[in-house]
Amino acid sequence: MNQIFERIRTPMGDLYCVIEREKIVLLHFDSQQISHNAQKSPHPLIQECQSQLDAYFKSSLKTFSLSLEIKGSDFKKRALQALQNLAYGEMITYQTLAQMAGSPKAYRAIGSLLAQNPILILIPCHRVILSNGQLGGYTWGKEKKKKLLKLEGHQK
């Protein structure tokens, strides 16, 4: 598969954006997730991703409009697509997301799935919290989860 990648700078650290078939398949801080066959090259979609992330971090963009491709099981696709439909700043629990994905008892599986979210921020797994109101985990670290939620208007 032909992949193109480029580093994207954010106020929270660098992310790597990977494009495949004119869709974003990866936006992650871990460069180890980039295929060894991927080519480093500028691409209009990566530039647009940078532009939208810049606007998001300035609180002037609330909804991303980028072409994404979610790979994996039907359950994973349903769960991550449900997250994309959340309103800016809206928080839900792991259990609620499991229900939205059509598997109400799979809230533990949701936690594992979110730990492997390949498209950070654009698929806002930082908006998923524990049913007791605690933050829960976040692949990029709990402090960054707090900062993202604060950016979106929460005091967690």
Side-chain angles (χ1 to χ4, degrees):
M1 196 58 47
N2 220 359
Q3 291 185 337
I4 296 170
F5 78 95
E6 191 68 51
R7 183 172 53 190
I8 290 182
R9 299 192 185 281
T10 77
M12 293 179 51
D14 291 347
L15 294 170
Y16 294 90
C17 186
V18 176
I19 306 296
E20 188 176 291
R21 291 187 303 271
E22 302 300 314
K23 294 185 178 192
I24 295 171
V25 295
L26 182 75
L27 183 66
H28 213 275
F29 65 89
D30 183 3
S31 64
Q32 299 294 322
Q33 293 198 25
I34 299 172
S35 165
H36 67 280
N37 294 327
Q39 297 176 0
K40 188 174 190 287
S41 177
H43 188 282
L45 183 54
I46 295 174
Q47 292 168 346
E48 181 59 25
C49 183
Q50 177 75 68
S51 176
Q52 288 191 29
L53 283 169
D54 289 346
Y56 168 80
F57 281 108
K58 291 176 184 167
S59 298
S60 62
L61 180 77
K62 308 251 188 274
T63 304
F64 295 104
S65 59
L66 296 161
S67 184
L68 311 180
E69 182 177 336
I70 300 168
K71 297 179 179 186
S73 68
D74 288 342
F75 174 68
K76 179 178 182 178
K77 289 176 183 178
R78 286 192 312 269
L80 295 182
Q81 286 168 347
L83 275 179
Q84 289 179 273
N85 294 329
L86 289 181
Y88 179 87
E90 180 181 357
M91 292 191 308
I92 61 171
T93 65
Y94 291 90
Q95 187 168 13
T96 299
L97 183 56
Q99 292 167 347
M100 292 168 72
S103 300
K105 295 183 180 180
Y107 55 91
R108 285 197 171 106
I110 288 290
S112 297
L113 183 146
L114 296 183
Q116 299 171 24
N117 177 5
I119 307 175
L120 296 176
I121 302 174
L122 305 180
I123 298 178
C125 59
H126 60 276
R127 296 178 187 159
V128 182
I129 62 170
L130 300 172
S131 57
N132 66 5
Q134 298 295 312
L135 288 181
Y138 186 56
T139 301
W140 209 2
K142 197 175 277 192
E143 283 307 309
K144 290 192 177 175
K145 183 173 186 169
K146 285 180 186 179
K147 286 180 182 179
L148 289 169
L149 291 172
K150 186 174 180 178
L151 175 73
E152 295 182 7
H154 294 282
Q155 301 306 313
K156 289 272 175 202

